[in-house]
Amino acid sequence: MSKRKAPSHENNLNYDFCEFLTELAEYEKNVSRNMYKYKAYSKAAATLASHPTRIKSGNEAKALPGIGEKIFKKIDEFLQTGKLQKLENIHQDKTSQAINLLTRVSGIGPAKAQKLVDSGIKTLDQLSKHQNLLSHHQIVGLKYFDDFEKKIPRTEIEEIEKILKEEISKLDSRYTITICGSYRRGKSESGDIDTLITHPDYTSDKINKKHKFVLQIIVDRLKDCGMITETLSLGDTKFMGACKLKPALPTRRLDIRFQPYDQYFCSLLYFTGSDIFNQQMRAHALENGFTLNEYTLRPLGTTGVPGEAVEITSEKDIFDIIDYPYKKPVDRNI
Ligand code: DCP
Ligand code: MN
Ligand code: MG
């Protein structure tokens, strides 16, 4: 997971609308903590981002899915005045500013940020003097605040990928290691490194006691070779941490997921994203009587109870089964 996603300029004729809608969405999520409004603004931003023509009036936007009255009025206001009064007010508000800043620290969510602000902590300097209030994850997030906000060039991820594959295959050559996220979608730079790992001996039906330690062993190997420098959290299937390719380079956020072999393609699809692409594809799956998540694709019976997982042998299988036009990873950048 990486924080702070700015809308992409690529092929986006409505970039400026997306930018203010994304900022409003962030405000609703982080400050108001109104996830309903957050989703409404995010959905509107996604709709406009993939709209093939430049929107010329609020009225024109109104006809698009997910653009309601509140949003089309904002588009009109923006077109007429070049700004939004609501955002101007938010920019002036000290509490909003502080919450927005604190939620940029890895591990600090909106509720924690509000608590910190309530206790008078509004800057990173103040935060670093009150580390007793923070979890290990948050302390590391604060330590690498600047590094974690720097984008990672593709060439650096390519080098990291090579080392991850070399080191992990020393443990067992049958591991499959795939860098997903924005990197797999072909982006020239990424917020973090999303690594998916699977192995044919580990399937979801075989409850294997060894399974529990596989990710731990992989992480230890990557620590021993000097690649992983920090652990934020480590579970049976999910690692969040940091790595460093060379002393002169920033510390980078590294996410690893170890997933059962039979769930590999659903995980690959999920972890490749984008998150909005996933939302849209899942919604389409539901319309076609399937429930799709990061583990499985399952048919919904007439009662709406999910059935057995469908056997999947490629990413494309998932598209075919739910009757969704196949999109290559580079075409999933919405
Ligand atoms: N994901 C999702 N829903 C979320 C978070 C993540 O579907 N709420 C999936 C889709 C993402 C992938 O996980 O593409 C990786 O998450 P990241 O936050 O790392 O996002 P990206 O890799 O897409 O972008 P970035 O370059 O900012 O890391
Ligand atoms: Mn990530
Ligand atoms: Mg990522």
Side-chain angles (χ1 to χ4, degrees):
M1 194 176 74
S2 74
K3 291 199 174 194
R4 279 172 78 75
K5 291 196 180 24
S8 160
H9 272 290
E10 281 169 50
N11 308 322
N12 183 352
L13 297 170
N14 297 295
Y15 177 80
D16 46 354
F17 303 136
C18 296
E19 204 174 33
F20 80 66
L21 289 169
T22 305
E23 205 183 329
L24 288 168
E26 289 297 306
Y27 171 80
E28 294 300 343
K29 181 175 76 176
N30 293 333
V31 185
S32 310
R33 275 183 279 155
N34 182 332
M35 290 312 278
Y36 175 80
K37 287 191 180 177
Y38 163 72
K39 285 192 180 133
Y41 283 126
S42 310
K43 185 165 184 226
T47 299
L48 291 182
S50 56
H51 193 65
T53 59
R54 168 79 183 166
I55 295 290
K56 292 184 192 65
S57 70
N59 226 12
E60 187 187 341
K62 208 168 93 179
L64 303 174
I67 314 257
E69 178 162 7
K70 276 204 170 145
I71 292 176
F72 90 70
K73 283 190 172 151
K74 291 209 163 49
I75 291 174
D76 270 338
E77 182 190 340
F78 187 79
L79 281 169
Q80 280 154 24
T81 67
K83 58 178 186 146
L84 280 190
Q85 198 51 50
K86 188 178 162 92
L87 275 183
E88 300 290 307
N89 296 346
I90 291 169
H91 292 158
Q92 297 303 314
D93 180 55
K94 291 273 181 289
T95 300
S96 301
Q97 277 175 16
I99 291 175
N100 271 330
L101 173 69
L102 297 177
T103 53
R104 283 162 59 188
V105 175
S106 183
I108 297 188
K112 177 73 188 185
Q114 179 72 59
K115 261 198 207 160
L116 290 166
V117 171
D118 288 346
S119 56
I121 296 168
K122 295 190 173 165
T123 66
L124 297 184
D125 257 5
Q126 290 166 337
L127 191 60
S128 60
K129 292 189 185 98
H130 292 88
Q131 300 203 14
N132 56 315
L133 299 173
L134 301 180
S135 67
H136 170 70
H137 182 159
Q138 292 159 347
I139 290 169
V140 178
L142 178 61
K143 180 173 171 191
Y144 297 106
F145 183 87
D146 291 326
D147 276 6
F148 287 173
E149 287 206 337
K150 290 186 184 123
K151 290 282 189 182
I152 316 167
R154 191 169 184 86
T155 48
E156 186 178 332
I157 302 185
E158 282 164 359
E159 283 188 60
I160 291 170
E161 179 179 28
K162 231 171 86 190
I163 294 170
L164 294 180
K165 287 185 173 172
E166 269 168 26
E167 289 299 324
I168 296 169
S169 67
K170 282 182 197 163
L171 291 168
D172 184 331
S173 62
R174 287 154 76 223
Y175 281 114
T176 301
I177 300 130
T178 314
I179 313 284
C180 300
S182 48
Y183 176 80
R184 186 159 182 260
R185 301 196 309 275
K187 292 279 184 183
S188 58
E189 45 180 30
S190 297
D192 66 354
I193 302 152
D194 301 301
T195 308
L196 179 64
I197 302 176
T198 192
H199 187 289
D201 287 352
Y202 298 93
T203 51
S204 60
D205 58 328
K206 264 194 286 177
I207 304 298
N208 194 326
K209 274 196 179 150
K210 275 195 299 184
H211 191 141
K212 220 177 150 42
F213 301 105
V214 170
L215 187 54
Q216 171 83 61
I217 291 164
I218 290 171
V219 167
D220 285 346
R221 168 96 231 167
L222 295 172
K223 275 186 186 164
D224 289 345
C225 77
M227 178 55 80
I228 288 181
T229 56
E230 299 282 352
T231 297
L232 298 169
S233 63
L234 175 63
D236 292 351
T237 61
K238 202 172 157 192
F239 164 85
M240 289 173 77
C243 66
K244 201 174 171 76
L245 180 61
K246 286 182 191 132
L249 288 171
T251 297
R252 307 301 197 179
R253 274 280 294 108
L254 173 67
D255 283 339
I256 304 178
R257 278 169 177 254
F258 179 67
Q259 296 286 43
Y261 202 65
D262 50 310
Q263 298 180 345
Y264 173 70
F265 293 106
C266 284
S267 299
L268 180 67
L269 177 72
Y270 165 80
F271 216 21
T272 298
S274 68
D275 48 357
I276 293 168
F277 175 82
N278 287 349
Q279 276 172 33
Q280 293 187 356
M281 189 158 168
R282 286 172 185 205
H284 181 92
L286 281 177
E287 285 165 14
N288 281 266
F290 288 91
T291 172
L292 173 64
N293 62 23
E294 59 205 281
Y295 311 110
T296 54
L297 175 68
R298 290 177 296 164
L300 290 168
T302 43
T303 52
V305 180
E308 285 289 301
V310 183
E311 202 182 308
I312 308 284
T313 59
S314 71
E315 237 183 355
K316 189 169 178 298
D317 269 3
I318 306 169
F319 289 81
D320 290 346
I321 293 164
I322 66 164
D323 199 20
Y324 198 60
Y326 178 72
K327 287 201 163 62
K328 289 178 286 180
V330 290
D331 296 323
R332 299 180 202 161
N333 280 308
I334 48 166

